[in-house]
């Protein structure tokens, strides 16, 4: 198994940190500190080394330290392709973010070629009650960790979808160009939908095999993924897009496609949708999905991901807490964990590197 892990991390003008430098190894790392000291900010910075907008989905201009015009994250990463020197910077004057890999600029979507970064935060515990777009993005982040090209495919699909929408608003529509765009959307839809259904199958298999204290979940997806086995799926998508042109022109949005799919999660024993479960059960099922993702990534890709856990032990009963600690100790990957103290996780702390942000923040 190939381990990916951060060897060091440096933040400049990032959130509440003027500067912060951390050294790390391929072990669990527990970030200790009072609320508001910046523990989640560190996890967010790490998450920005993976495609997307990080664990908070924050606007880039809101991330910098108050009064500063730019911020940066630099990291040395043991990646899938060897040692990677990563740096991402944002300048408020230009409004642009740049990403460099070993000195060469790369797009955000290519970060998944270097490592897999998973996270679980308290904000995610409401995912089952959120909009379908949030669950779809949640699923796509999981898919990124299995298919590194998935991020690029989704980005291209969204580009063509916006181009199609602009053409539909023109007085004189170029039908031939519109047909080319819809064909590209259809082809990308099949790849995106296939990736999603494959990954859901991986996760479901892992969940079914888990001997866990956390509730099992049944995973499904509603959308064109249900027709993915059709022999003429590309033509079906093209026909739908063509037949909805007038409807989409009037509504100003694309009413059919992979951008409208929804992740469906059920409590297996109770056979009820996750949104109707208690908040504790919803958190427990999220942890189940996370465990299944870790197991599946290692099994299928032979590569260990980096795991970010923000206050994950809060409100867990002693049995589930102990199970999770045993799993994290056994799985042997780099895990970044936030906690206000070590109460209840002393056993995990014996295997971890402790970083006291109260002390570091006072120095910086």
């Amino acid at each position: 198994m190939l381990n990916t892990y951060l060897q060091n991390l440096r933040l400049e003008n990032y959130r509440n940190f003027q500067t912060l430098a951390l050294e790390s190894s391929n072990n669990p790392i527990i970030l200790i500190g009072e609320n508001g000291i910046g523990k989640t900010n560190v996890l967010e910075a790490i998450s920005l080394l993976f495609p997307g907008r990080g664990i908070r989905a924050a606007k880039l201009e809101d991330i910098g330290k108050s009064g500063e015009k730019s911020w940066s994250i630099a990291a040395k990463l043991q990646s899938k392709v060897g040692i990677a020197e990563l740096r991402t910077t944002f300048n408020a004057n230009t409004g642009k973010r740049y990403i460099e890999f070993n000195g060469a600029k790369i797009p955000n979507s290519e970060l998944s070629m270097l490592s897999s970064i998973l996270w679980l935060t308290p904000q995610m515990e409401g995912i089952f009650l959120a909009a379908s777009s949030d669950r779809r993005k949640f699923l796509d982040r999981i898919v990124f960790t299995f298919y590194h090209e998935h991020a690029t495919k989704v980005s291209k699909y969204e580009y063509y979808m916006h181009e199609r929408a602009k053409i539909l608003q023109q007085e004189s529509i170029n039908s031939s160009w519109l047909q080319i765009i819809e064909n590209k959307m259809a082809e990308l839809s099949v790849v995106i939908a296939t990736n999603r259904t494959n990954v859901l199958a991986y996760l479901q298999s892992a969940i079914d095999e888990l001997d866990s204290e956390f509730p099992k979940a049944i995973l499904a997806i509603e959308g064109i993924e249900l027709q993915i086995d059709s022999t003429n799926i590309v033509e079906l998508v093209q026909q739908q897009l063509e037949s909805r042109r007038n409807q989409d022109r009037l509504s100003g949005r694309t009413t059919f496609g992979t951008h409208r799919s929804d992740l469906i999660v059920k409590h297996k024993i109770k056979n009820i949708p996750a949104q109707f479960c208690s908040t504790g059960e919803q958190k427990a099922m999220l942890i189940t999905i996370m465990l299944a993702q870790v197991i599946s990534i290692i099994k299928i890709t032979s590569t260990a991901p980096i795991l970010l856990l923000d206050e994950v032990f809060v409100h867990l009963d002693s049995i589930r807490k102990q199970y999770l600690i045993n799993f994290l100790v056994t799985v042997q990957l780099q895990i970044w964990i936030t906690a206000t103290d070590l109460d209840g996780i002393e056993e995990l702390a014996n295997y971890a590197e402790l970083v006291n942000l109260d002390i570091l923040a006072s120095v910086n």
Side-chain angles (χ1 to χ4, degrees), residues 263-330:
L263 173 65
I264 308 299
V265 180
K266 282 187 177 181
H267 191 296
K268 186 173 183 178
I269 300 300
K270 294 185 175 182
N271 194 31
I272 59 174
Q275 63 263 37
F276 298 131
C277 295
S278 69
T279 54
E281 288 173 326
Q282 290 178 18
K283 177 175 182 175
M285 278 190 284
L286 264 180
I287 293 176
T288 294
I289 294 172
M290 177 200 71
L291 299 179
Q293 187 180 359
V294 170
I295 292 169
S296 299
I297 289 173
I298 293 173
K299 178 180 179 181
I300 293 168
T301 71
S302 298
T303 303
I306 297 170
L307 188 56
L308 312 178
L309 302 177
D310 193 14
E311 301 290 350
V312 70
F313 292 100
V314 174
H315 303 312
L316 288 184
D317 60 45
S318 58
I319 295 176
R320 287 177 175 170
K321 185 179 293 185
Q322 186 60 52
Y323 176 87
L324 185 55
I325 289 173
N326 292 341
F327 179 89
L328 297 178
V329 168
T330 304

Side-chain angles (χ1 to χ4, degrees), residues 11-19 41-42 44-46 48 56 63-65 70-73:
L11 311 181
E12 294 182 2
N13 299 330
Y14 191 94
R15 296 287 187 184
N16 63 307
F17 299 110
Q18 191 76 48
T19 60
N41 294 343
V42 175
E44 180 189 41
I46 298 172
L48 288 171
R56 289 191 176 106
I63 292 177
K65 186 175 176 62
S70 65
W71 56 262
S72 68
I73 305 165

Side-chain angles (χ1 to χ4, degrees), residues 239-263:
Q239 291 169 8
Q240 283 289 334
L241 290 171
E242 184 175 350
S243 66
R244 293 169 183 247
R245 287 176 182 175
N246 190 54
Q247 178 183 351
D248 292 352
R249 181 181 64 82
L250 294 173
S251 66
R253 58 194 179 93
T254 306
T255 56
F256 179 84
T258 53
H259 64 289
R260 298 182 66 82
S261 300
D262 191 6
L263 173 65

Side-chain angles (χ1 to χ4, degrees), residues 150-221:
H150 187 74
T152 301
K153 301 296 185 185
V154 171
S155 179
K156 285 183 178 179
Y157 174 87
E158 292 176 347
Y159 167 78
Y160 287 124
M161 182 175 65
H162 293 312
E163 286 297 301
R164 176 178 179 270
K166 287 193 291 185
I167 292 174
L168 289 175
Q169 295 303 316
Q170 295 174 358
E171 291 186 11
S172 178
I173 295 177
N174 186 330
S175 298
S176 59
W177 180 232
L178 188 58
Q179 188 173 17
I180 291 172
I181 287 180
E182 289 175 346
N183 180 61
K184 290 183 179 296
M185 288 178 65
E187 292 174 346
L188 287 166
S189 293
V190 174
V191 177
I192 293 168
T194 299
N195 290 348
R196 288 173 178 168
T197 53
N198 287 346
V199 168
L200 281 183
Y202 302 154
L203 297 180
Q204 191 65 65
S205 177
I207 289 172
D208 292 343
E209 294 176 4
L210 266 176
D211 182 15
S212 171
E213 296 295 338
F214 292 91
K216 292 184 181 293
I218 299 175
L219 309 179
I221 188 166

